């Protein structure tokens, strides 16, 4: 589907707010500029916003596909619109986010962390958001045994189930030793996975059930130290 045809199908509305903080101090960044455009037409600016003393922009309404696109699995059309955000602030490196997804009748909050300028010759930091897992074409998950034997003698750290403060996220296949590991807050990880695997337009009970499943799976991986005991890389965590 062409970008023009997709924009013609944007007959509903969603809301967007951008929050900007310093990557070093986490303090709000005031007077940061935010330019919003369609990802397919980045040269045409739709909105120009500025952050307040709390580092937040005003909430703006933007066009989206119809709500029913994300509620009916039989609909093959893309259920969300994609926007490009360019964030600039004095003394900070600019950031470009391409493919920010917006659903109908939902408020999306985009958090941005700006790095202070250390090397003036460096360009803007670019993030490209891939297609949602419910819409894009992705390889199947690695097959596993439904019931896995757990050898207690292999336990290294945890003696009980705990909720970790941070988990290690392996940015690639568990078999890929070259991929980067990132320390991510557990709560942020759960939120990010949920936003990647379900739509915010779904019924509240459906969203809650999916998030509980995501939490259960993640805590199981941490408690059983599945990746460490399998000599693989993946989601791990240290308890608090």
């Amino acid at each position: 589907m062409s970008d023009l045809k997709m924009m013609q199908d944007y007959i509903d509305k969603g809301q967007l707010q951008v929050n900007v903080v310093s990557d070093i101090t986490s303090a709000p960044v005031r007077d940061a500029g935010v330019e919003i455009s369609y990802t397919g037409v980045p040269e045409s600016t739709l909105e120009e916003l500025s952050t307040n003393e709390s580092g937040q922009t005003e909430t703006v309404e933007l066009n989206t596909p119809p709500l029913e696109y994300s509620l009916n699995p039989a609909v093959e059309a893309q259920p969300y619109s994609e926007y490009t955000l360019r964030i600039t602030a004095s003394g900070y490196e600019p950031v470009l986010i391409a493919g920010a997804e917006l659903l109908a009748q939902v408020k999306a909050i985009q958090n941005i962390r700006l790095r202070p300028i250390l090397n003036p010759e460096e360009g803007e930091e670019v993030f490209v958001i891939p297609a949602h897992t419910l819409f894009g074409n992705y390889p199947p998950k690695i097959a596993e045994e439904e019931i896995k034997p757990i050898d207690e003698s292999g336990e290294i750290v945890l003696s009980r189930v705990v909720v970790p403060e941070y988990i290690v996220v392996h940015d690639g296949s568990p078999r890929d030793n070259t991929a980067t590991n990132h320390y991510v807050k557990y709560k942020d990880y759960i939120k990010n996975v949920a936003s990647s695997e379900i739509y915010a337009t779904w019924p509240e009970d459906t969203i809650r059930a999916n998030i509980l499943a995501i939490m259960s799976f993640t805590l199981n991986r941490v408690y059983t130290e599945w990746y460490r005991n399998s000599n693989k890389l993946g989601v791990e965590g240290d308890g608090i």
Side-chain angles (χ1 to χ4, degrees), residues 71-220:
L71 298 177
N72 185 355
V75 176
E76 296 182 357
Q78 181 171 306
Y80 53 85
S81 51
E82 296 179 79
Y83 289 94
T84 292
L85 314 177
R86 188 172 190 272
I87 301 91
T88 57
S90 178
Y92 293 91
E93 296 177 359
V95 167
L96 181 75
I97 297 179
E101 300 167 4
L102 192 63
L103 289 158
Q105 301 180 31
V106 169
K107 179 179 178 179
I109 298 177
Q110 179 66 63
N111 295 317
I112 305 293
R113 302 185 70 88
L114 294 182
R115 298 185 304 197
I117 294 177
L118 300 178
N119 183 358
E121 296 182 358
E122 289 187 0
E124 62 187 4
E125 190 174 12
V126 177
F127 298 93
V128 178
I129 300 176
H132 197 281
T133 56
L134 293 177
F135 182 74
N137 294 318
Y138 292 95
K141 293 184 180 296
I142 299 173
E144 299 180 13
E145 295 292 338
E146 187 172 339
I147 300 177
K148 306 175 180 64
I150 299 298
D151 183 359
E152 293 184 1
S153 64
E155 190 175 37
I156 299 175
V157 178
L158 301 178
S159 60
R160 57 188 175 86
V161 176
V162 297
V163 176
E165 182 177 6
Y166 286 86
I167 61 175
V168 179
V169 178
H170 188 64
D171 191 12
S173 166
R175 301 190 182 103
D176 183 2
N177 293 325
T178 64
T180 305
N181 291 333
H182 303 277
Y183 281 84
V184 180
K185 283 190 174 181
Y186 170 78
K187 292 192 294 184
D188 291 340
Y189 173 77
I190 297 299
K191 289 188 293 184
N192 289 340
V193 173
S195 66
S196 299
E197 295 188 351
I198 60 180
Y199 290 137
T201 54
W202 289 1
E204 184 176 329
D205 286 345
T206 305
I207 293 175
R208 183 180 292 108
N210 276 271
I211 292 176
L212 288 174
I214 294 168
M215 294 170 61
S216 176
F217 181 87
T218 303
L219 292 177
N220 175 270

Side-chain angles (χ1 to χ4, degrees), residues 29-106:
V29 177
R30 185 173 184 173
D31 296 327
V34 179
E35 297 180 5
I36 304 174
S37 61
Y38 287 121
T39 294
V41 194
E43 67 278 1
S44 179
T45 302
L46 300 172
E47 297 278 356
E48 293 186 8
L49 309 175
S50 182
T51 57
N52 57 22
E53 63 276 4
S54 299
Q56 299 177 319
T57 67
E58 62 179 299
T59 299
V60 294
E61 284 196 335
L62 298 168
N63 294 335
T64 68
L67 175 64
E68 56 265 27
Y69 281 16
S70 61
L71 298 177
N72 185 355
V75 176
E76 296 182 357
Q78 181 171 306
Y80 53 85
S81 51
E82 296 179 79
Y83 289 94
T84 292
L85 314 177
R86 188 172 190 272
I87 301 91
T88 57
S90 178
Y92 293 91
E93 296 177 359
V95 167
L96 181 75
I97 297 179
E101 300 167 4
L102 192 63
L103 289 158
Q105 301 180 31
V106 169

